[in-house]
Amino acid sequence: MNQKHERFPSALEAFFLIVFLLGIEMLLNMLVHDSMAWTGIGMDEVDGVIMVLSNAALFTAVLQYKGMSYGELFHSSTGTSPARLLLLLVPVILLVPGLELSLNFLGGLLEEWQPVPAGQQRIFDEMMSNGVHSFIVACLVAPVLEEMLFRGVVLRSFLQQYSRWLAILGSACLFGLAHMNIYQFLCASVVGVVCAWLYEKTRSLWPGIVLHASSNGVAIYAYRWGTLRGVSTTWQPSATLCVAALISTSLGIYLLRRMLVSVNATAL
């Protein structure tokens, strides 16, 4: 398939794509809400389905317009074998402990400056407290769909139009804005920068999907750890855990740099 419209979307077009996606999700949410009384289906049971259906509608239109297949969207590099890509995921996972410590620290500073409103906190609690359902949506559905949109479509186009770091930062900020609250904006933007950097280096969505899913999984575990002990929903790592995270992340950065040099040398 020959790709068309490589520069779609621009920054403004990407913004409206996200608005369009949120509009579809809102419409489907309204339809489900109106049918709850006679179907007995709860919103927490279908939000993952709504996300999949909304993104499917958007991706079908965008990929058709750009003349791309899903295979090209997920992995546009011709120089990386599946085995090499699989090995690359090891240092990516090693980055997660340090990343989560950083997000925890930044989130704590933000909450000290601007405490989370009670209504917003209830939304966060509901997102985190649905057991297996929360895990499936946050660690499987959301990472795949969000990486497809923000890295596979938006960042891929931005790299054709803007400087490398402007493309990375711009796509990450749009990713943060799509979460529609300042608390998730900060953390999502940081994760978005790392995922965008990984995509720019590998031209594959899989490293970002793995990092994104792992980060969400740690966040859910930290929330459960706090609530089960009745202390705080904020992760409070021990000194030992901080040291272990620092070692893990340092090793991950070292291995990632070495492996990416090797990958780029083979015309990734």
Side-chain angles (χ1 to χ4, degrees), residues 25-41:
E25 291 182 350
M26 185 178 300
L27 177 61
L28 291 176
N29 269 294
M30 290 171 59
L31 292 174
V32 171
H33 185 271
D34 289 342
S35 65
M36 284 171 59
W38 55 273
T39 62
I41 299 175

Side-chain angles (χ1 to χ4, degrees), residues 162-226:
Y162 312 117
S163 65
R164 173 177 175 248
W165 277 106
L166 185 59
I168 287 174
L169 293 174
S171 64
C173 286
L174 282 174
F175 177 52
L177 283 172
H179 290 76
M180 298 193 298
N181 66 79
I182 189 174
Y183 307 98
Q184 286 181 291
F185 169 81
L186 178 63
C187 294
S189 295
V190 173
V191 172
V193 167
V194 181
C195 290
W197 180 80
L198 287 169
Y199 178 82
E200 192 270 334
K201 289 294 184 182
T202 65
R203 302 293 167 158
S204 175
L205 294 183
W206 291 112
I209 289 173
V210 169
L211 181 82
H212 193 160
S214 300
S215 176
N216 286 359
V218 171
I220 290 176
Y221 174 80
Y223 176 88
R224 297 287 174 78
W225 184 91

Side-chain angles (χ1 to χ4, degrees), residues 107 110-122 124 181 183:
L110 178 59
E111 289 181 26
E112 285 184 11
W113 171 67
Q114 186 67 46
V116 182
Q120 186 64 57
Q121 187 61 56
R122 282 196 298 272
F124 290 153
N181 66 79
Y183 307 98

Side-chain angles (χ1 to χ4, degrees), residues 5 7 29 38 42 48 121 128 159-161 170 175 187 194 205 215 219 246-247 254 267:
H5 309 291
R7 292 174 176 261
N29 269 294
W38 55 273
Q121 187 61 56
M128 294 290 194
L159 289 169
Q160 298 284 340
Q161 305 175 68
F175 177 52
C187 294
V194 181
L205 294 183
S215 176
L246 179 61
I247 293 173
Y254 171 76

